[in-house]
Amino acid sequence: MRFDEIVIRTDRLDFPALAAGEGPLVVCWHGFPDHPLSFGPLAERLVAAGRRVVAPFLRGHHPATLGRLRFADGLTLAADAAAVNAALSDEPLDVIGHDVGAGVAGRLAAAWPERVRRVITMAVPPPATLGTIFDDPAQQQRFFYVFLFQVPGVGEALLNEALIRYLWRTWSPGLEAPEHVLALYADPAVRAGALRLYRANFDRSLHDPVLADRAKVSEKPAPVPMLVLAGEQDGCITPDNYAGAAAGLAPGSRVEVVAGAGHFLHLDRPDEVAALALDWLR
């Protein structure tokens, strides 16, 4: 898939992004450890169906935004997404988020529902149901890296190419980390930013106080119906974690488990994911 490189100028930050196609916009937010290029197979199918795909780099994941992570909580990233949508269109936009990007899309829909039309999240349950995800010892084991990332020095030593390769192979069995991902995370500044994203899960000093009012609603069910996709073979967040997802979703939402897919389900099963996405976006 051939992408053009663009810059989305917002009142918060200028966001580098990859873009392709013509037609109604779909904004795609990537996760960890990942890169917007990984949306390529899905974007190819969306573009063929007459959509324009814009995939921004998360704050701190591009040379132009390195060091711009004073605050690194999920709501900060959702506020970025709201600003991107506002800069791209006066109308609500369709949004797809994977992994960390799923949290971005879910919190965007909850805190800025006027900025979204249709929402799809992949590989992470809705934010409103994540409060209990650490209760399961088996899930705690799968999240070993989350806890190790909290320890200064340990996180910096652990987050390397070997770990990234391991996570990709474990999360989507048989899938190797692409070179564009390895090249992105070869930059120590990018790795430092990624660690801040994870440390913000527990460190309140990394939460933007300006967004405190939005935080009152960002972890509640969004008023916008969402399509939530999970991979049947996801080695990071297993499908059983979606059993209570309906409690965190608006009426009209759907949860779909994609057969034969792992965590990177848009790479494992791009045809199936594209078909589900296009049906939902219609």
Side-chain angles (χ1 to χ4, degrees):
M1 182 70 206
R2 181 186 177 279
F3 285 105
D4 296 320
E5 297 184 14
I6 65 172
V7 176
I8 305 166
R9 305 197 183 281
T10 82
D11 57 3
R12 288 176 60 79
L13 198 63
D14 291 346
F15 290 93
L18 305 181
E22 299 294 336
L25 279 166
V26 184
V27 183
C28 299
W29 289 94
H30 69 90
F32 166 88
D34 210 351
H35 186 292
L37 271 176
S38 297
F39 280 113
L42 178 59
E44 182 177 5
R45 289 155 175 81
L46 297 179
V47 167
R51 304 302 297 257
R52 176 166 174 78
V53 175
V54 174
F57 286 81
L58 288 171
R59 179 186 288 258
H61 281 69
H62 186 280
T65 64
L66 293 179
R68 303 299 298 274
L69 267 167
R70 178 185 176 191
F71 301 111
D73 58 308
L75 191 52
T76 288
L77 302 183
D80 289 346
V84 164
N85 280 16
L88 290 172
S89 175
D90 293 331
E91 300 297 323
L93 295 178
D94 295 328
V95 178
I96 299 174
H98 174 257
D99 188 79
V100 172
V104 172
R107 292 181 178 91
L108 169 65
W112 290 272
E114 72 280 2
R115 290 295 176 199
V116 299
R117 192 186 76 93
R118 303 290 270 175
V119 178
I120 301 170
T121 65
M122 301 189 290
V124 176
T129 67
L130 288 177
T132 60
I133 198 168
F134 291 105
D135 294 349
D136 176 18
Q139 187 59 53
Q140 292 172 15
Q141 187 176 28
R142 288 188 288 271
F143 276 166
F144 74 94
Y145 62 98
V146 175
F147 303 116
L148 291 175
F149 282 176
Q150 307 307 312
V151 185
V154 174
E156 284 76 5
L158 178 69
L159 181 47
N160 55 29
E161 180 177 324
L163 176 69
I164 291 170
R165 288 185 182 275
Y166 173 81
L167 294 179
W168 272 71
R169 287 196 305 267
T170 305
W171 292 356
S172 272
L175 190 63
E176 293 295 327
E179 287 303 317
H180 58 257
V181 170
L182 298 176
L184 177 64
Y185 285 89
D187 188 332
V190 172
R191 296 197 300 272
L195 290 174
R196 285 179 72 81
L197 295 184
Y198 279 93
R199 288 169 178 168
N201 289 326
F202 302 97
D203 184 351
R204 301 292 299 184
S205 71
L206 295 176
H207 292 218
D208 188 349
V210 172
L211 298 173
D213 286 344
R214 301 278 184 173
K216 297 174 183 177
V217 297
S218 64
E219 307 307 304
K220 296 181 179 180
V224 181
M226 297 195 296
L227 173 64
V228 177
L229 302 180
E232 179 190 34
Q233 300 177 5
D234 192 331
C236 178
I237 300 178
T238 51
D240 54 290
N241 284 285
Y242 296 80
L249 296 168
S253 299
R254 282 169 45 203
V255 178
E256 296 277 353
V257 178
V258 180
H263 190 72
F264 299 94
L265 59 167
H266 51 313
L267 292 173
D268 292 322
R269 293 291 183 269
D271 287 331
E272 292 89 333
V273 170
L276 288 165
L278 288 167
D279 179 66
W280 185 256
L281 296 179
R282 291 189 189 100

